[in-house]
Amino acid sequence: MSFQKINMKLQNSTNQNTDLICQIDKLRIPKHVAIIMDGNGRWGIKRGLTRSYGHNQGVFILKNIIKLAKKIGVEVLTVYAFSTENWSRPQGEVKFLLNLFEKVLNKETVEINKECIKLNFIGDFSPFPENLKQIINSSQALTKDNNEFTLNVCANYGSRQELINAAKNLAKRSVSGEIKPEQINEGLFESELLTKEFKDPDLLIRTSGEIRLSNFLLWQLAYSEIYITDVMWPEFNDDEFLKAIINYQSRNRRFGGIESLSNKSFKNSFYSS
């Protein structure tokens, strides 16, 4: 399949979402959506193209999903762009991904700012090239006052390391006498996380059919609804995103509790040996 045909197919799919939008309950939109954008490289190889082409197509899809999420009322979108484990990939692919990251920010940040989107980066940027670190900092500075929508980009992020760092910081504060061990609770622990400014995601979407969290927001996803789709990220168009939202709205979020039931529901239900 040619590049032109693939792009035409994806663009046509993107525009066929009117019926799905009509099914959306505007009062039950998830305020915070997290996405594991998986399957870029495999999508490219499967079509006789390159992994790099798959990653480029993934950027195209992300731009569309950002616009749609903002349009329907999502307030925060958090995407897994580059994990701490991704350094183990072939050196050529890692270099390509970092270069792509830099090019996209250079090209899109001005437009993102015009759309009143706040760009926020989460992760350890110390291993990144200096140029990329400067672009990350300048992008955040340019958009820091925008308040219509927030895009969190997790780059060189690993949740286990985030949790370890939080524990270390609390230990240091305890040793210094700033806090007592018995004062440590969920709220205090969360104040040490990289996502402390945001409420936990309401919905996690993972593409390409993999059923795992892959070291992504392990603490924050404790009560998030999880939506898994076999569709790979470069084909995750507007319709697929709306399907995920509709699926989310079909669920009853109880956060470990149950719906109000009469006492009769528990009558004669005691276990006996």
Side-chain angles (χ1 to χ4, degrees), residues 221-266:
L221 294 173
Y223 279 102
S224 303
E225 297 298 321
I226 299 177
Y227 178 83
I228 306 292
T229 175
D230 290 332
V231 176
M232 293 186 182
W233 180 248
E235 288 189 340
F236 192 82
N237 55 34
D238 288 15
D239 285 359
E240 297 300 332
F241 184 75
L242 292 173
K243 289 175 186 177
I245 301 299
I246 291 169
N247 181 276
Y248 165 85
Q249 293 185 340
S250 72
R251 304 185 190 186
N252 181 15
R253 304 188 73 197
R254 298 186 297 275
F255 299 95
I258 58 175
E259 295 180 12
S260 178
L261 298 172
S262 67
N263 289 332
K264 291 181 180 180
S265 302
F266 304 97

Side-chain angles (χ1 to χ4, degrees), residues 186-232:
E186 286 191 15
L188 195 57
F189 192 88
E190 287 176 349
S191 71
E192 295 291 346
L193 297 178
L194 298 173
T195 56
K196 60 187 175 184
E197 298 178 22
F198 308 99
K199 292 183 178 180
D200 293 341
D202 301 297
L203 171 64
L204 168 69
I205 299 171
R206 177 158 192 160
T207 59
S208 86
E210 302 292 350
I211 308 174
R212 57 176 177 267
L213 296 180
S214 296
N215 201 19
F216 182 54
L217 301 177
L218 300 179
W219 174 281
Q220 297 88 338
L221 294 173
Y223 279 102
S224 303
E225 297 298 321
I226 299 177
Y227 178 83
I228 306 292
T229 175
D230 290 332
V231 176
M232 293 186 182

Side-chain angles (χ1 to χ4, degrees), residues 116-127:
C116 292
I117 296 173
K118 181 179 180 179
L119 198 51
N120 187 55
F121 296 89
I122 298 172
D124 174 16
F125 313 131
S126 58

Side-chain angles (χ1 to χ4, degrees), residues 164-177 179 184 192:
I164 289 171
N165 290 341
K168 285 181 177 179
N169 290 339
L170 289 174
K172 291 176 181 177
R173 292 172 65 184
S174 179
V175 169
S176 70
I179 59 173
I184 298 175
E192 295 291 346

Side-chain angles (χ1 to χ4, degrees), residues 101-109 119 121 135-136 139:
F101 197 7
E102 183 175 333
K103 289 177 182 177
V104 170
L105 288 177
N106 274 326
K107 182 180 179 182
E108 303 295 340
T109 298
L119 198 51
F121 296 89
I135 293 170
I136 287 174
S139 298

Side-chain angles (χ1 to χ4, degrees), residues 85 157-166 215-218:
E85 290 77 21
Y157 170 85
S159 187
R160 287 183 173 180
Q161 190 59 51
E162 177 188 26
L163 296 175
I164 289 171
N165 290 341
N215 201 19
F216 182 54
L217 301 177
L218 300 179

Side-chain angles (χ1 to χ4, degrees), residues 66 69-70 74-77 116-118 147-151:
I66 292 169
K70 183 172 181 281
V74 174
E75 296 177 358
V76 180
L77 183 67
C116 292
I117 296 173
K118 181 179 180 179
N147 56 15
E148 290 189 10
F149 185 85
T150 298
L151 174 63

